[in-house]
């Protein structure tokens, strides 16, 4: 009985460490992508006249859809690279929830699988609900 408890605690620690590494890697990767895009933007457009911030101009329509973000990223456009980094940052906690869902399913913990599915559904609905994909 004691061995089972110790094995379960060790498995929980392994899952926690893996989740921590996943979050850390996601944030670092997203930061690097945004940094590279920012450098590219500064080198490309840094010498231009400072824009007028008295009137708000939204982002180009090509950079608010997944297809536009991927097209901008793979074509090497600075704004596309930055938007892709932001997308990676948004996807990081979603991937954490998905990983936790699989971990709970492997442990056959039905209650936590159900709760995690609810959390995942809420996050996906709130994240993608207003998008015109």
């Amino acid at each position: 009985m004691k061995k089972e408890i110790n094995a379960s605690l060790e498995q929980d620690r392994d899952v926690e460490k893996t989740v921590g590494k996943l979050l850390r890697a996601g944030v670092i990767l997203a930061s690097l992508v945004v940094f590279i895009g920012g450098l590219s933007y500064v080198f490309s457009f840094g010498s231009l006249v400072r824009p007028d911030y008295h009137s708000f101009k939204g982002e180009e329509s090509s950079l608010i859809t997944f297809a536009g973000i991927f097209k901008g990223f793979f074509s090497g456009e600075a704004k596309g690279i930055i938007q892709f980094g932001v997308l990676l940052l948004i996807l990081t906690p979603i991937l954490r929830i998905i990983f936790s869902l699989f971990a709970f399913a492997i442990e056959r913990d039905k209650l936590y699988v159900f709760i995690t599915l609810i959390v995942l559904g809420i996050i996906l609905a709130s994240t993608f609900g207003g998008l015109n994909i």
Side-chain angles (χ1 to χ4, degrees):
M1 176 79 170
K2 192 173 183 176
K3 287 182 181 181
E4 290 177 16
I5 293 172
N6 286 340
S8 176
L9 288 174
E10 190 167 319
Q11 186 178 9
D12 288 345
R13 284 190 205 118
D14 290 342
V15 169
E16 289 174 13
K17 286 181 182 179
T18 304
V19 166
K21 289 177 183 177
L22 176 70
L23 289 172
R24 192 175 308 118
V27 170
I28 290 170
L29 179 64
S31 300
L32 286 173
V33 170
V34 169
F35 182 73
I36 291 168
L39 283 177
S40 175
Y41 186 83
V42 168
F43 286 126
S44 298
F45 304 106
S47 62
L48 295 179
V49 177
R50 187 172 57 107
D52 179 23
Y53 290 116
H54 289 83
S55 61
F56 177 75
K57 295 177 187 172
E59 194 56 61
E60 302 168 10
S61 61
S62 65
L63 292 176
I64 59 173
T65 63
F66 288 129
I69 292 171
F70 287 121
K71 182 181 176 188
F73 175 74
F74 288 115
S75 65
E77 295 175 20
K79 288 183 180 181
I81 295 170
I82 293 170
Q83 288 289 88
F84 185 74
V86 172
L87 185 63
L88 286 176
L89 190 62
I90 292 169
L91 289 176
T92 298
I94 295 172
L95 290 175
R96 180 241 188 259
I97 294 170
I98 292 170
F99 177 81
S100 297
L101 178 66
F102 285 121
F104 292 138
I106 290 171
E107 292 176 0
R108 293 186 174 95
D109 194 338
K110 293 177 184 177
L111 177 64
Y112 282 112
V113 166
F114 181 70
I115 292 170
T116 306
L117 279 172
I118 291 172
V119 170
L120 182 62
I122 290 169
I123 292 209
L124 290 177
S126 64
T127 302
F128 300 117
L131 294 179
N132 296 326
I133 300 175

